[in-house]
């Protein structure tokens, strides 16, 4: 299924995408009032949602709504740095050491925005893009093995890890430069894990104003999704609705010669195969 959140006539709704229309989930609001509650409900919740959709005729045209971030504000939004081989080499040319272990940082959850919302540049002069495969945690994960990690994934989404490069290295944690408001567009929906049995088989791409900037494949991940979940859950519990951004490939603006940063009016389009597309305009 493709689960989404949307706004229509000033009201927030949950729904399931069916072609170019949405099946609203108001009839399940008592049991599942939020997307996080569906994620926490596991396979039983998805089975109940599926039965409801099959039995419901009500449809809302996708074109008539505004899509929101497909999950309410997550408890954690964790992102891994330099996790594609060529991107790590790209960073090394800029003097950034290639990490020996998984390099994780936080994006403050207030950065999360919708799949078509504007990216507000803010005070940065070096605004950059990073297409990423996003993961939503379903069942709580603590101390899980790589083999068991798939059972803890609720689904997948497209992420743009928008980065303020001049603020990114204000601290070693990257948090300031990764967390500006609106610098976390995600969506357009959550594709449930049963539709993507192997997330390491997907093409990822970014266009800026129609120019292809990033084009890679999740098979190029240095640490795969299962290794990421196992590593993180060694230290702390991953909870339903938490976000993981699994890394970006080469082709970011800071890695170009000369660097090419985003400017007001630019349109950034990020795509992950079999999941979807998000597109955001930059404004001052």
């Amino acid at each position: 299924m493709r689960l989404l959140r949307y706004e229509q006539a000033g009201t927030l709704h949950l729904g399931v995408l069916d072609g170019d229309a949405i099946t609203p989930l108001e009839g399940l609001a008592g049991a599942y009032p939020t997307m996080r509650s569906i994620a926490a409900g596991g396979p039983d919740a998805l089975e109940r949602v599926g039965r409801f959709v099959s039995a419901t005729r009500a449809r809302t045209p996708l074109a008539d709504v505004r899509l929101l971030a497909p999950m309410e504000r997550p408890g954690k939004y964790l992102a891994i740095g330099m996790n594609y081989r060529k991107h790590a080499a790209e960073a090394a040319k800029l003097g950034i050491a290639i990490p020996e272990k998984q390099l994780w940082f936080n994006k403050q959850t207030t950065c999360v925005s919708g799949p078509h919302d504007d990216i507000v540049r803010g005070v940065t002069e070096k605004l950059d893009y990073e297409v990423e495969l996003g993961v939503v945690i379903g069942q709580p994960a603590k101390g899980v093995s790589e083999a068991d990690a798939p059972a803890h994934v609720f689904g997948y989404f497209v992420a743009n890890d928008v980065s303020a490069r001049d603020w990114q290295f204000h601290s070693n944690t990257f948090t300031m430069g990764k967390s500006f408001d609106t610098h976390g567009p995600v969506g357009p929906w959550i594709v449930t894990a049963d539709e993507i049995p192997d997330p390491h088989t997907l093409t990822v791409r970014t266009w800026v104003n129609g120019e292809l900037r990033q084009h890679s494949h999740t098979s190029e991940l240095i640490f795969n999704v299962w290794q990421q979940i196992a590593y993180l859950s060694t230290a702390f519990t991953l909870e339903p609705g938490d976000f993981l951004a699994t890394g970006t490939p080469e082709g970011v603006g800071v890695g170009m010669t000369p660097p090419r940063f985003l400017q007001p009016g630019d349109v950034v389009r990020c795509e992950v195969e079999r999941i979807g597309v998000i597109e955001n305009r930059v404004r001052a």
Side-chain angles (χ1 to χ4, degrees):
M1 282 184 288
R2 297 183 174 219
L3 296 158
L4 48 80
R5 296 171 66 246
Y6 64 97
E7 181 184 48
Q8 187 177 38
T11 303
L12 186 150
H13 305 267
L14 300 181
V16 175
L17 187 67
D18 181 10
D20 58 359
I22 299 168
T23 301
L25 296 181
E26 270 73 22
L28 293 177
Y32 304 114
T34 63
M35 192 66 74
R36 182 177 288 104
S37 66
I38 298 175
D44 289 345
L46 289 177
E47 182 181 356
R48 186 170 176 184
V49 170
R51 290 199 309 267
F52 178 85
V53 170
S54 298
T56 303
R57 294 185 177 181
R59 296 290 188 272
T60 298
L62 179 62
D64 291 350
V65 308
R66 172 179 171 245
L67 291 179
L68 306 173
M71 178 67 68
E72 302 81 20
R73 187 185 296 179
K76 307 180 194 67
Y77 190 173
L78 302 164
I80 187 170
M82 291 173 279
N83 196 37
Y84 280 77
R85 294 173 180 84
K86 291 183 180 179
H87 179 55
E90 184 178 57
K93 291 180 180 179
L94 299 173
I96 302 170
I98 297 176
E100 295 182 4
K101 299 184 182 297
Q102 296 184 35
L103 176 64
W104 287 92
F105 56 88
N106 290 302
K107 287 180 74 73
Q108 299 294 348
T109 57
T110 46
C111 79
V112 173
S113 59
H116 305 297
D117 292 349
D118 286 350
I119 297 168
V120 180
R121 183 174 66 177
V123 298
T124 180
E125 296 297 329
K126 296 182 177 180
L127 187 68
D128 212 346
Y129 51 84
E130 294 189 0
V131 64
E132 310 211 11
L133 169 66
V135 175
V136 184
I137 296 298
Q139 298 304 291
K142 178 66 172 79
V144 304
S145 66
E146 291 180 38
D148 291 337
H152 297 268
V153 173
F154 176 58
Y156 302 94
F157 60 93
V158 183
N160 184 355
D161 177 19
V162 180
S163 304
R165 300 299 188 192
D166 44 358
W167 283 69
Q168 182 173 339
F169 296 99
H170 284 195
S171 70
N172 291 335
T173 65
F174 294 1
T175 301
M176 288 294 289
K178 294 285 190 172
S179 299
F180 282 31
D181 289 350
T182 76
H183 288 195
V186 294
W189 34 69
I190 295 168
V191 178
T192 52
D194 59 304
E195 291 200 18
I196 312 288
D198 185 357
H200 311 107
T201 60
L202 307 173
T203 299
V204 294
R205 296 187 288 185
T206 300
W207 293 263
V208 177
N209 301 328
E211 176 191 0
L212 184 63
R213 297 280 188 91
Q214 294 182 286
H215 186 182
S216 190
H217 195 272
T218 54
S219 62
E220 294 294 317
L221 290 169
I222 296 172
F223 300 103
N224 68 38
V225 175
W226 317 140
Q227 292 169 330
Q228 294 177 37
I229 292 171
Y231 181 81
L232 291 170
S233 73
T234 301
F236 48 78
T237 302
L238 298 173
E239 299 176 306
D242 284 353
F243 282 0
L244 308 181
T246 59
T248 198
E250 73 280 4
V252 294
V254 72
M256 296 181 176
T257 306
R260 298 174 66 184
F261 296 112
L262 297 172
Q263 303 299 323
D266 286 348
V267 176
V268 185
R269 180 181 177 89
C270 295
E271 176 187 58
V272 179
E273 181 185 9
R274 298 174 57 197
I275 296 175
V277 172
I278 63 174
E279 185 170 287
N280 308 90
R281 183 178 297 274
V282 178
R283 65 181 174 90

